[in-house]
Amino acid sequence: MSFRLGVDIGGTFTDATLVDEETGAVRIAKVASTPSDPSAGFMEATRRILSEAGVEGGALRYVVHATTVATNSIIEGKVARAGFVTTEGFRDLLEIARQVRPTLYDVHFEKPRPLVPRNLCFGVRERLEPDGAVRVALEEGSVREVATRLRDERVESVAVCLLHAYVDGEHERRVGEIIREVCPEVLVSLSSQVAPEFREYLRASTTVINAGIQPVVARYLESIEARLHEAGVDAELLVMQSSGGVFSSAAARSRPVFMVESGPAAGVIAAASLGEALGLADLISFDMGGTTAKVGLIQDGSAKVTKEYQVGAAARAGIGGLALSGYPVRTPVIDLVEIGAGGGSIAWIDSGGLLRVGPQSAGADPGPVCYSRGGEEPTVTDANLVLGRLNPSYFLGGEIELDAGAARAAIEERCAVPLGLSVVQAAHGIVEIANAAMVNALHLISVQRGYDPRGFVLVAFGGAGPAQANALAREAGMPTVLVPTSPGIFSATGLLSTDLKRDYTAAMLRRVDALEPAEAEAAFARMEAEGRDALAREGLAAEEVSFVRQIEMRYVGQSYELTVPADDLDAAVGGFHAAHDRAYGFSAEQEPVEVVNLRLTAVGRIAKPQLARLEPGKPPAERARRPVYFAESGDFLDCPVYDRYALGAGAELAGPAIVEEFDSTIVVHPGYRARIDDYGNLFIHA
Amino acid sequence: MTLDPITFEVIRNALVAATDEMVLALRRSAYSTNIKTRSDFSCAFFDAELRSVAQGFAQPVHLGSMVEQVPKAVLEYGPENLGPGDMIVTNEPFPGGVHLNDISLIAPVHAGGRLLGYVTNLAHHVDVGGGAPASIGAFREVYQEGVIIPPVKVVEAGRLVPDVFRLLLAQIRSKHETAGDLRAQVAANNTGVRRLQALVERHGLETVAQAMEELLDYTERRTRAELAKLPSGTFEADGTVDNDGYTEDPVYLRVRVTIGPEGVRFDTVGSDPQRRAPVNSTYAQTYSACAYAVKCLVDPDLPVNDGFYRLVRLDAPLGSVTNCTAPSPVVGGWETQTRLNDIIFKALSDAMPDRVPAGTKAMMCHAGFGGVDPETGEYYCFLETFAGGYGGRIGSDGPDAVQTHGQNTENAPVEETERGYPVRVECLELVEDSDGPGRFRGGLGLRKDYRFDRPTTFSILADRDRSGPWGLFGGLPGRKAEYVLNPDREGRRLGSKTTLEIGAGDVVSYRTCGGGGYGPPHERDPERVLRDVIERKVSAVRAREEYGVAIVDGRVDEAGTARLRE
């Protein structure tokens, strides 16, 4: 018997997921997070799930961990005491940043505070030309002076980012050597190694984040490994990266900036992995929880990643995605559109007399009015209850008895009466408005990025997702909805189905026609060798490692790149024109194209757990009937209710129908059919 | 009959999403640094009656630009002459426009067999011809500033009109970038048109049109509710732009703000007559300053459309620097309009001390240069604007090195600049001791030096080198700006509005102004002064002389400080 353990530390709960590699059986444990010492919650969840499952620590093959420890240390300003070294004349790169205000109309705005204070930022004498030629040789004396200052200032970590070091990292390498000589205990992050990309502020920001969180992450991972060892678990600890792959804890300690968005990626990876098992390559993941809804896109089996990301950005960042707040990071991050619309989102009337939903949320505490925990403001969950979609006696399997009367009264008082609507109209309105926000998010992740959602399957999960998914898919013209088993914990299973990954970048700014195929090949080969070595150190044989080559291109003169496959350089140019046309509605074949970066992902394939099979069952039997409101009928319909656990493989049912399970409720609209597949997944089709 | 509130909210969000998506499409596919990296553009949707319905702003200075320009341009061209797939282009300053660099593209949206409205986007082009590269030189007439484009059809039934396109590009130095940027503008409008057509398909033309109508009333209702929370009355202040580029006569500006039940009324009566120099603001530019100020005083969630504009009125005397007429040069009108923003805040400071900052950078502070690249034979043009200090606020310091008011353009990355243009950036740093002292100090200005290895034409279009941003309530002004040629050699001071020929090896150095302080400097928390000294933002000497704080061995000397502050 062998098992994998996943542990995901969120703001409120720490989830542990255990999968039996042979049977695919999944088990979950939830404990309260322990923000002051997250490793305590980690161990509590681990101990609990192992004892509940009766599994010995020695039976674990590996432990995969998603953590917000990196992000939190940035947001809370608890980064290590770090120094910043750059080319003389540019020590204020972090202070000046992009010289913009994060909000347009707020005179009380603040710029994000630099992670390294100005007195720990230093210039050294050296200068490269844009092509890498040395204009001013590195003056080692100036480096030694700075290194001595860094030692005297007792910094734990140093970020080095010299101008144009993305072309040639030699000066940075030498600066690093001298710093290590003078202060051997200090950790050094070089921009040419962490993020060798052009645009100095973005590269510096990425490198500084790496330096600032490195000691924090190292201490954290060491403490977890030590405690796992004490608990008899010697399985390797793997850490989820922002890109959706995992890396060893050793790799995480040297490149922690790759794990800043460790948590949210899991849901998308879970969806991709389920799709792979079912032979579905194009999916949109829709994860709706208490506070937000997140949508991600998987095309041809792989989740889309972006490098335009800011850590600690305000939830409602600048207009049209021009996020100007937070600290930019140029490492791959799963591309998610997140909006403030979840089950706990509050419905309110604004000063113009309009019904609005979110972004404020009642969260888990006090929660929706119907939880009877002191919440007074009506939420999306309250509206769903009034509309008959939720079963007041079977919420979280009956753990919470929902108070429909209170929900009704709150919606009546706060929404219906001021708007002159009936309670049902108002409740329906709350759900519609939340859905509309989600349709806009779907549009952003698909159409706006050049994908037609009608060719994608909507994978709905999170506690609140399955109730909205059918309506959403109909609105977006998506033909199929897939609701996995146990949607409330589906996201956590993503940790157990990810591959080992390493991402590399080689800056190569030049026109495509000036790119020597041999040179590109050499750069790819160098990155592949690096990736192969790194994964070999993690125990993967050469045949288990595969590579994805990509190239970032743009028209000469543009500054946003598009990423296209680069297995064949000639085809890549055609691919670029097509991608540009898809994304922006035009392409310019006569215009010269330039290369910005070559990108390589080394993937160390990890066998996926088997999906647990479901036995065929008897024809579906109604558990009950209750009136449920459907807007398309304009009224409550007498709607059959099914117990999901009683539905066997092959079961089919016709909408309108409600399917209830422990942590979620699925709504099937009139005119749609639901079918259970061989693994217990529920599909909704027209 | 009114729409049900649910459908209304759904459509309202979709309208905003449509203009936001236009913003994304334009930013990502544009060519020039000014648009793609610095986001100097905005997008909007107007109804068939040419009332603004939804806007996606990257730059608040455009708040007043499109709302003035689009109706006038469409009426001038004739709505009946615009069919599906057509677009008109314009940058005409009189009437209704702004400076020539801002080129607008306007497309009708036909849906459900009828005209639903117009989508439009405005972008600042790096060059529009005229007397100096990057088209920001100081001249006597608008005709010297670049190509003037009255509303003409540039896209017909979905295809570029080659004659117009070629004629236009022939006037412009940076042809490659401009052609790319114009294509991106076309793409942005196409994005908007498609999104709105889909909305009509989904909800029906009548419903969408009705939602648009109701959106305007809804916005007006909310704006009124917000304005009712402000103190009513009339408030006034004055100030100046340092000089006009030809004479040293300060350009006098005066603003009166009246807040009352009918909304907010601004008047600029008493401001100087227009100059034969590049400091004239058009009505649309001045109106932008007013709309921006009001927007800062209300809930940031409030949409901006005709329902908002109805309540913001401006009376600017025709022929003044706040409402200039042809053939006045207008390229530096933004210097005047952003200064007006500072003056409006000054006017409101007594009545709303918690809502406004002390004097800010309040200048656009352009650098433009260009020439023919001997290697490629192509004309290159570069444009950038620099941040400066923000003013102190009631409870916080003014941030260092940041854009102010309607301007929020990013800096051009040094590595991108050096890769694309024959120039080297010698330094980019904060100007120490440039703060305006105060209980809450003003932010620091920044310094950026350009070195040229070959002859180049360089223009400065800026201000603030005669006087720095004012302090409020006992705060002191920020340090003024400096523009210097060859700081390490002759160190010649350059005017704030000038075009010069640069020789090989020359360096042009900008040091922008600091922000004004808020409250008496001696009331500043000594620990904050200490932190500034440790970070070398403020020198120990300045801490003593301006803030009355004695620092000994890296700590505040309390007794010494008490003596200094007596």
Side-chain angles (χ1 to χ4, degrees):
Chain A
M1 284 222 305
S2 64
F3 293 84
R4 294 173 198 189
L5 173 68
V7 181
D8 183 357
I9 300 187
T12 320
F13 293 110
T14 296
D15 294 340
T17 324
L18 187 71
V19 65
D20 182 326
E21 292 190 320
E22 281 131 44
T23 65
V26 176
R27 166 185 285 281
I28 185 155
K30 242 182 199 334
V31 304
S33 290
T34 49
S36 57
D37 174 15
S39 61
F42 181 105
M43 288 314 298
E44 172 61 23
T46 301
R47 267 192 289 270
R48 181 181 299 184
I49 202 163
L50 291 179
S51 82
E52 281 176 5
V55 168
E56 292 296 319
L60 292 179
R61 274 237 299 196
Y62 38 82
V63 179
V64 183
H65 183 28
T67 170
T68 51
V69 68
T71 325
N72 288 351
S73 66
I74 297 163
I75 294 171
E76 294 162 13
K78 291 179 183 159
V79 294
R81 185 171 171 82
F84 175 62
V85 178
T86 185
T87 305
E88 190 176 65
F90 297 88
R91 67 181 282 214
D92 286 324
L93 275 182
L94 307 177
E95 288 276 348
I96 294 170
R98 285 173 290 196
Q99 78 171 24
V100 290
R101 310 189 301 279
T103 49
L104 295 180
Y105 304 106
D106 177 8
V107 303
H108 296 291
F109 75 95
E110 294 292 345
K111 277 171 95 169
R113 201 166 168 70
L115 296 176
V116 177
R118 187 165 192 258
N119 46 308
L120 299 181
C121 296
F122 301 95
V124 293
R125 274 189 288 290
E126 69 84 42
R127 187 68 148 89
L128 296 185
E129 293 285 343
D131 62 0
V134 177
R135 190 170 92 215
V136 178
L138 181 67
E139 203 183 299
E140 299 202 353
S142 74
V143 183
R144 281 181 200 285
E145 265 171 53
V146 166
T148 310
R149 292 282 300 282
L150 290 167
R151 189 188 59 202
D152 296 348
E153 292 280 1
R154 300 176 189 288
V155 301
E156 268 192 276
S157 186
V158 175
V160 182
C161 177
L162 306 179
L163 286 185
H164 298 298
Y166 58 93
V167 188
D168 185 337
E170 183 53 30
H171 280 185
E172 282 194 357
R173 203 186 50 72
R174 186 63 194 131
V175 169
E177 278 176 3
I178 295 173
I179 294 173
R180 284 191 194 96
E181 244 172 66
V182 177
C183 14
E185 67 293 352
V186 162
L187 296 165
V188 179
S189 299
L190 304 181
S191 83
S192 49
Q193 286 173 6
V194 175
E197 301 202 14
F198 97 130
R199 291 182 204 119
E200 67 282 356
Y201 172 65
L202 298 179
R203 190 171 73 254
S205 173
T206 309
T207 312
V208 164
I209 287 173
N210 199 70
I213 63 179
Q214 198 170 9
V216 180
V217 167
R219 280 193 286 271
Y220 173 73
L221 293 176
E222 278 156 21
S223 121
I224 286 202
E225 279 175 325
R227 297 176 82 156
L228 280 173
H229 179 73
E230 281 166 30
V233 178
D234 284 308
E236 189 181 8
L237 178 64
L238 300 174
V239 180
M240 191 77 164
Q241 302 179 67
S242 323
S243 67
V246 292
F247 55 179
S248 67
S249 69
R253 280 194 288 260
S254 81
R255 302 210 291 178
V257 69
F258 282 77
M259 54 178 274
V260 286
E261 276 296 289
S262 181
V268 185
I269 296 307
S273 164
L274 177 62
E276 187 183 326
L278 299 177
L280 301 170
D282 297 329
L283 312 156
I284 291 177
S285 66
F286 167 54
D287 177 0
M288 182 174 172
T291 312
T292 65
K294 298 190 268 283
V295 294
L297 187 134
I298 296 143
Q299 190 213 12
D300 218 2
S302 58
K304 291 283 152 193
V305 297
T306 175
K307 292 204 290 186
E308 289 166 39
Y309 183 77
Q310 348 270 321
V311 185
R316 290 176 61 119
I319 194 154
L322 306 188
L324 298 173
S325 61
Y327 306 94
V329 169
R330 292 286 293 176
T331 54
V333 173
I334 295 255
D335 193 7
L336 283 175
V337 174
E338 182 164 9
I339 54 166
S345 293
I346 290 169
W348 52 290
I349 310 281
D350 72 18
S351 60
L354 187 55
L355 179 60
R356 311 279 294 271
V357 178
Q360 295 83 0
S361 167
D365 190 24
V369 177
C370 60
Y371 284 18
S372 310
R373 287 185 192 155
E376 292 181 353
E377 297 175 288
T379 64
V380 172
T381 297
D382 292 309
N384 271 321
L385 182 62
V386 166
L387 297 176
R389 297 161 159 211
L390 302 181
N391 181 347
S393 313
Y394 191 68
F395 193 72
L396 284 180
E399 273 180 28
I400 301 176
E401 175 74 28
L402 300 181
D403 184 345
R408 226 185 138 75
I411 291 174
E412 171 148 42
E413 181 200 337
R414 302 213 180 207
C415 303
V417 170
L419 292 171
L421 297 174
S422 72
V423 178
V424 169
Q425 282 172 326
H428 167 63
I430 293 168
V431 172
E432 275 295 272
I433 288 166
N435 277 352
M438 287 177 252
V439 169
N440 283 335
L442 265 181
H443 202 264
L444 266 180
I445 199 82
S446 59
V447 180
Q448 230 293 316
R449 284 145 162 83
Y451 303 99
D452 186 342
R454 290 173 297 186
F456 288 74
V457 171
L458 186 67
V459 186
F461 51 98
Q468 319 295 127
N470 193 173
L472 211 53
R474 183 181 56 193
E475 191 73 13
M478 301 173 70
T480 309
V481 175
L482 162 55
V483 184
T485 53
S486 302
I489 60 164
F490 179 67
S491 194
T493 65
L495 290 183
L496 302 173
S497 49
T498 171
D499 291 318
L500 283 159
K501 263 192 200 172
R502 282 288 200 296
D503 290 290
Y504 300 94
T505 301
M508 196 151 288
L509 279 120
R510 67 202 59 181
R511 291 197 181 203
V512 157
D513 45 28
L515 179 71
E516 290 294 331
E519 188 187 15
E521 184 54 42
F524 277 127
R526 180 178 54 70
M527 293 191 284
E528 288 183 359
E530 232 182 297
R532 196 177 293 114
D533 288 353
L535 293 178
R537 283 194 298 277
E538 296 182 8
L540 275 97
E543 62 272 17
E544 290 173 293
V545 177
S546 62
F547 300 101
V548 180
R549 292 178 171 197
Q550 289 178 308
I551 189 164
E552 294 174 14
M553 292 177 164
R554 59 187 185 186
Y555 291 118
V556 172
Q558 288 184 318
S559 75
Y560 273 94
E561 300 83 47
L562 290 172
T563 303
V564 294
D567 299 316
D568 170 354
L569 284 182
D570 293 331
V573 178
F576 168 75
H577 290 303
H580 199 278
D581 190 51
R582 197 166 59 225
Y584 307 124
F586 74 99
S587 58
E589 276 78 9
Q590 71 287 359
E591 287 284 313
V593 173
E594 66 185 349
V595 177
V596 179
N597 291 312
L598 306 183
R599 265 164 68 168
L600 183 94
T601 305
V603 182
R605 184 118 178 107
I606 298 180
K608 303 288 170 289
Q610 292 292 313
L611 286 183
R613 276 191 173 270
L614 186 70
E615 292 302 315
K618 289 176 282 194
E622 294 175 14
R623 157 146 98 194
R625 292 182 89 87
R626 67 169 179 262
V628 178
Y629 183 83
F630 287 97
E632 55 269 48
S633 316
D635 205 350
F636 282 87
L637 301 178
D638 182 32
C639 183
V641 178
Y642 299 91
D643 175 5
R644 183 162 186 183
Y645 305 116
L647 297 175
E652 291 213 28
L653 34 98
I658 297 285
V659 181
E660 293 178 350
E661 60 189 306
F662 176 79
D663 56 0
S664 190
T665 301
I666 304 164
V667 177
V668 184
H669 282 255
Y672 286 81
R673 299 188 63 77
R675 187 178 59 76
I676 303 287
D677 75 359
D678 291 348
Y679 308 99
N681 299 297
L682 186 147
F683 283 87
I684 303 174
H685 296 276
Chain B
M1 134 171 171
T2 59
L3 224 49
D4 74 87
I6 287 85
T7 309
F8 175 50
E9 170 66 357
V10 168
I11 296 177
R12 185 184 78 89
N13 276 319
L15 290 171
V16 174
T19 47
D20 278 359
E21 288 187 22
M22 290 174 68
V23 168
L24 278 178
L26 180 50
R27 175 172 160 116
R28 292 202 170 146
S29 61
Y31 278 51
S32 67
T33 302
N34 199 47
I35 298 176
K36 67 198 180 182
T37 308
R38 307 188 57 240
S39 305
D40 196 347
F41 67 90
S42 291
C43 303
F45 172 53
F46 287 72
D47 69 9
E49 291 171 45
L50 294 160
R51 294 174 302 179
S52 156
V53 174
Q55 315 201 8
F57 283 113
Q59 297 299 325
V61 286
H62 302 145
L63 269 169
S65 307
M66 289 187 286
V67 69
E68 287 292 318
Q69 187 177 48
V70 171
K72 290 181 173 115
V74 171
L75 292 176
E76 184 181 334
Y77 193 81
E80 68 283 3
N81 299 322
L82 284 170
D86 290 353
M87 294 189 202
I88 51 174
V89 60
T90 183
N91 73 343
E92 203 175 28
F94 311 108
V98 290
H99 70 174
L100 299 179
N101 305 64
D102 288 345
I103 299 181
S104 289
L105 229 69
I106 305 167
V109 184
H110 290 87
R114 232 181 63 193
L115 177 68
L116 180 71
Y118 302 86
V119 289
T120 178
N121 67 79
L122 173 156
H124 182 128
H125 286 253
V126 64
D127 186 82
V128 287
S135 311
I136 54 159
F139 296 106
R140 292 289 195 184
E141 294 185 343
V142 70
Y143 299 105
Q144 296 165 292
E145 295 187 323
V147 57
I148 299 173
I149 315 164
V152 290
K153 205 175 275 184
V154 70
V155 177
E156 189 154 34
R159 299 185 66 86
L160 274 178
V161 180
D163 289 6
V164 173
F165 204 61
R166 282 170 44 237
L167 181 65
L168 199 57
L169 286 186
Q171 319 302 315
I172 288 173
R173 295 179 181 85
S174 53
K175 299 182 197 314
H176 174 76
E177 287 187 327
T178 303
D181 286 346
L182 283 170
R183 274 196 296 270
Q185 285 191 275
V186 170
N189 274 355
N190 283 335
T191 299
V193 169
R194 276 197 303 269
R195 189 77 156 92
L196 291 163
Q197 285 172 338
L199 189 67
V200 167
E201 235 169 76
R202 172 72 184 79
H203 295 279
L205 183 70
E206 285 311 314
T207 306
V208 173
Q210 196 183 342
M212 285 158 50
E213 187 73 42
E214 287 183 22
L215 174 56
L216 306 186
D217 293 337
Y218 157 82
T219 305
E220 181 179 339
R221 226 166 31 241
R222 278 194 67 193
T223 309
R224 278 189 191 285
E226 288 289 316
L227 294 179
K229 297 180 195 163
L230 302 178
S232 58
T234 297
F235 315 100
E236 60 180 279
D238 59 4
T240 57
V241 168
D242 287 343
N243 57 21
D244 67 20
Y246 283 94
T247 74
E248 283 304 309
D249 288 346
V251 182
Y252 181 74
L253 301 170
R254 186 174 162 287
V255 183
R256 221 156 43 160
V257 188
T258 304
I259 302 176
E262 74 292 344
V264 186
R265 173 173 293 276
F266 294 84
D267 88 56
T268 56
V269 176
S271 297
D272 270 359
Q274 66 194 39
R275 303 274 178 103
R276 274 172 56 78
V279 289
N280 304 300
S281 176
T282 64
Y283 182 88
Q285 288 176 304
T286 302
Y287 185 74
S288 278
C290 304
Y292 176 75
V294 175
K295 185 80 174 90
C296 287
L297 300 175
V298 298
D299 185 350
D301 176 60
L302 190 71
V304 176
N305 55 43
D306 189 67
F308 170 84
Y309 291 122
R310 286 170 196 167
L311 300 175
V312 181
R313 292 279 169 242
L314 166 66
D315 180 11
L318 194 65
S320 74
V321 286
T322 61
N323 183 8
C324 63
T325 57
S328 300
V330 293
V331 67
W334 292 121
E335 303 298 322
T336 300
Q337 86 85 236
T338 188
R339 187 62 41 81
L340 282 166
N341 256 136
D342 247 25
I343 297 170
I344 292 169
F345 282 154
K346 183 160 79 171
L348 298 175
S349 60
D350 280 326
M352 308 174 211
D354 56 333
R355 286 176 176 263
V356 297
T360 74
K361 183 192 72 153
M363 60 168 170
M364 292 293 157
C365 199
H366 300 87
F369 59 81
V372 177
D373 184 335
E375 281 166 30
T376 63
E378 278 181 31
Y379 209 121
Y380 64 88
C381 291
F382 179 86
L383 177 75
E384 181 168 21
T385 61
F386 303 113
Y390 203 77
R393 289 91 43 112
I394 190 162
S396 57
D397 289 343
D400 303 323
V402 74
Q403 297 288 27
T404 59
H405 301 322
Q407 180 189 35
N408 206 33
T409 41
E410 291 181 35
N411 43 15
V414 172
E415 291 172 350
E416 189 169 305
T417 304
E418 294 193 345
R419 239 175 206 288
Y421 304 90
V423 64
R424 295 294 172 259
V425 178
E426 297 279 283
C427 72
L428 171 62
E429 52 195 27
L430 296 176
V431 180
E432 297 170 3
D433 283 350
S434 60
D435 56 305
R439 185 191 309 127
F440 290 99
R441 67 163 172 85
L444 302 183
L446 64 76
R447 172 174 174 175
K448 194 165 189 175
D449 288 9
Y450 292 115
R451 184 170 57 78
F452 295 89
D453 291 332
R454 60 172 89 112
T456 304
T457 307
F458 194 105
S459 295
I460 299 172
L461 182 57
D463 201 57
R464 289 289 199 204
D465 65 336
R466 295 286 182 268
S467 59
W470 51 75
L472 273 184
F473 307 119
L476 301 177
R479 184 200 280 182
K480 57 195 186 184
E482 284 183 280
Y483 311 101
V484 183
L485 182 67
N486 296 325
D488 294 336
R489 290 186 293 174
E490 72 270 25
R492 176 154 72 93
R493 287 284 296 274
L494 299 170
S496 64
K497 300 164 190 74
T498 188
T499 297
L500 65 158
E501 295 300 326
I502 295 284
D506 280 349
V507 173
V508 179
S509 176
Y510 277 65
R511 295 94 187 261
T512 65
C513 55
Y518 191 108
H522 278 208
E523 292 179 10
R524 182 167 179 76
D525 177 356
E527 291 301 323
R528 282 180 171 263
V529 176
L530 176 64
R531 193 176 73 200
D532 284 341
V533 170
I534 289 173
E535 295 195 344
R536 306 238 172 98
K537 290 184 175 178
V538 171
S539 64
V541 173
R542 188 173 177 83
R544 170 177 285 273
E545 290 176 358
E546 298 290 348
Y547 293 94
V549 173
I551 292 169
V552 178
D553 296 335
R555 311 178 72 138
V556 174
D557 167 9
E558 290 184 9
T561 299
R563 273 196 303 280
L564 288 167
R565 287 187 163 188
E566 259 169 23

